[in-house]
Structure formats: structure tokens, C-alpha cells
Amino acid sequence: MASHRKSRTPGTRVAGIRTPALATAALTSVALLSQTADAAPGEDRPSLEEVEKKVDDLYRQAESATEKYNAAKEKTTKQRKRVDTLLDDVAQRTQKLNEARAELGSYAAAQYRTGAGMPDTATFLLAETPQDVFDQRQVLDRMTGRQKAAVDDYVTQQTETMKKRQEATESLRTLTETQGDLKTAKATVQKKLADARELLSKLTAEEKARLAAIEKRKQEEAARKAAELARQQAEQQQEREEAAQQGGGTSESSGSGSTGSADTPPADTPPADSSYAAKAEKVLAFARAQIGKPYVWGATGPGSYDCSGLTQAAWKAAGVSLPRTTYDQVNAGTTVPVSQAQPGDLVFFYDDVTHVGIYIGNGMMIHAPKPGTYVREESVYYDGDSAIHSIVRPA
């Protein structure tokens, strides 16, 4: 069973998920075989393992770019809302500034018509900044109370308007940057997928058959490990029930056959209570209803999903709001041992936390695997023990 690891900040390693079944092996085969098509007779051709690794790297890079796209899209959306709010505020404050300016203008006009000395208020209408106004202190001293109040209002509106205009300018600059990040991530994903399609078009029937056989054996091994996890969890449940009957409370045994820190529960790990079970039931009902819908990078439903889009939507159906990306979802709950995973828990994969599925019990999960596939049930060991990063219990 995979060792339990602490979550890490995504970054340096190439992200992604393993390409399951025939498509994964096929794409990899094409990639390497196309590179060696012109090799001289007698040169070594890549092994099937090397072929498979090549396509894994390709799709992990695409998955990493997808999560970066999701993060940039979310940030862009929030920043655009902020810019819109600031621009509305600037418009309202500009209106108030114009009203204050009009009031000062009325005083200036009255002074001019009556010939009552220097048109003092006109001096402030020529001021370009609040500091310019305060620099006219000797004029301010000669004003009436109402005139001074009008000047104070004008200065306040001018100060706030300039401040909001500056905030809006800075927010627009940030929005431009996030839109650039969004565009870059989108281009990266599209490039990886285009490369995959090109490689797939060069695959031979013989290569497909050979690599499909290898993938089938891996799926059988993943199913065997899922059954072993299910057995361990059943033993744990039986031990807890027996301990409860004997008055000993809930057993903290990790179950026979468990090894590594992933199977040693932290002291503060809470058990899944009835409230969680009720939420998880809604999560699983929603997830099962999405089976068969296509994976589309950046999608959050209802017609298609990417991996984190599916988990976010499923938990939303249970009234729980999860962050958008795998990088944030991994910190949105309590980490539990793999051996104590309960239906509804999130299963995260790879050291850079770039894939996630929903645990449904018996070592199985529902997830949106990769471009070209559909939402489906699959063993949590679909990419081997070491691929599992952590189990997180939301809510």
C-alpha cells in the first residue's frame, strides 16, 4: 500500500495522471516509434516501457497545465469582478465630485456677480489635487462657514475619487497579467493534446495490441490491490464493532496487512460520523450520475468535467464548497490514512497533487481520468501504490 505523504506545494515536478488503457500506451508508442522511424538498421528501438513512459509524461504535462489554467481562470474571474466593482465606484464618486465642484462654482459665480471681493471659491476649482486646495490656506481663512463646508466636501470627493482610480488602474494591470497566465496555460494544454492526436494517428495495429495487453495486466493488478484494501477495511470495521460491543469504544487498529505511515492514523483523525455519511451519500449519488460524461480540461459540468471540476461539483451537491484546483482541495479537509478511507473522501495522486478522485469504497473511486476518456469507476491503484499522494476528508 502506498506510503502516506504530506501535501506539497505544486511546482517543480511534471504533473498529471497516468493515461489508462489502450489510449495511453498507444500514444506513447507513436511518440517514440515516430522518433526512431528513420533510425539506421540495427539501432535499438525503444522498449514498450519507454514508450509508455513517454506518453505518461505528455499527459502529465497536460494535466499540470490544466490545473494551472483552472487556477488562472478562477483568479481572472475574481479579478474581473473586482475591476468592475472599482469602475462602478469610480463612476459614482466622479458624479459626487462633479456635484461638489458645481456647488463651489455656484459660490464663485455669486461672488463674481455681486462684486464681493475676490472670487475665493474659484481658486479651488483650479486646483488639480487635494494638496493644491490646502496650499490655498490664506484664501480658505477668508471664506464663510458654508463655503468652507463646500470646500471640505470637494476635497473629500476628490481624494476618494483619485484613490479609487488608482486602485482601478492597479486592478486592471493585475487582470491583464492573469489573463496572460490563462492564455499561456490554455496554449500549453492545447499543444499537448495536439501532439497526442498527431502521435495517435501514426500508431500501428500491432503496437496497439501489444501495449493493450500490458495495460490489461496492470488493470488486473490494480483490481487485486483494490480488493486487498477492501478486505483490510472490512477487518477494521469488524474490530471496531467488536470493541464497541465489549465496551472498549472505537478501535484504532489499522487492520492486518497495513504498513507504512499511510496506515497509522494521526491522533487527531476524527472518525467519519453519521453527518459525514449523509453528505457522502449525496456526493456519491451525484458522482455516479456523471459516469459516462466526457473529460474536458477546465470543465466543471454539467455536461463534462475535469478531475477537480468533478470533485468540486459532487461535494457542492452535498452543500459543501470546495476550492477549484487540486492544489487547494488537498488542504480543504482532514488527511486520513489510506486504510481508513471512507466513501466520499478525496483521493489525491502524485507528489505534485495534480489528480483527484472520489473514493466510493472497496478500493474503488470515481474520477475523470484524462482527455479522450469519460468519468468512470476505477481502482485507486490504477497507477500503482506510489501514485497515491493522500486521502482527504472534506467537511
Side-chain angles (χ1 to χ4, degrees), residues 93-109 121-130 133 147 149-159 161-162 165:
R93 292 188 180 279
T94 299
Q95 176 62 32
K96 292 181 180 179
L97 178 62
N98 290 336
E99 292 172 356
R101 182 182 288 113
E103 185 175 3
L104 283 182
S106 67
Y107 283 120
T121 49
T123 302
F124 295 99
L125 293 176
L126 299 177
E128 296 182 355
T129 68
V133 174
Q147 286 175 314
V151 170
D152 288 342
D153 184 45
Y154 178 72
V155 171
T156 297
Q157 297 303 330
Q158 190 179 44
T159 300
T161 301
M162 291 180 65
R165 284 175 178 171

Side-chain angles (χ1 to χ4, degrees), residues 117-138:
M118 177 182 176
D120 297 336
T121 49
T123 302
F124 295 99
L125 293 176
L126 299 177
E128 296 182 355
T129 68
Q131 187 59 48
D132 291 339
V133 174
F134 288 114
D135 286 343
Q136 304 294 329
R137 296 183 186 278
Q138 73 281 9

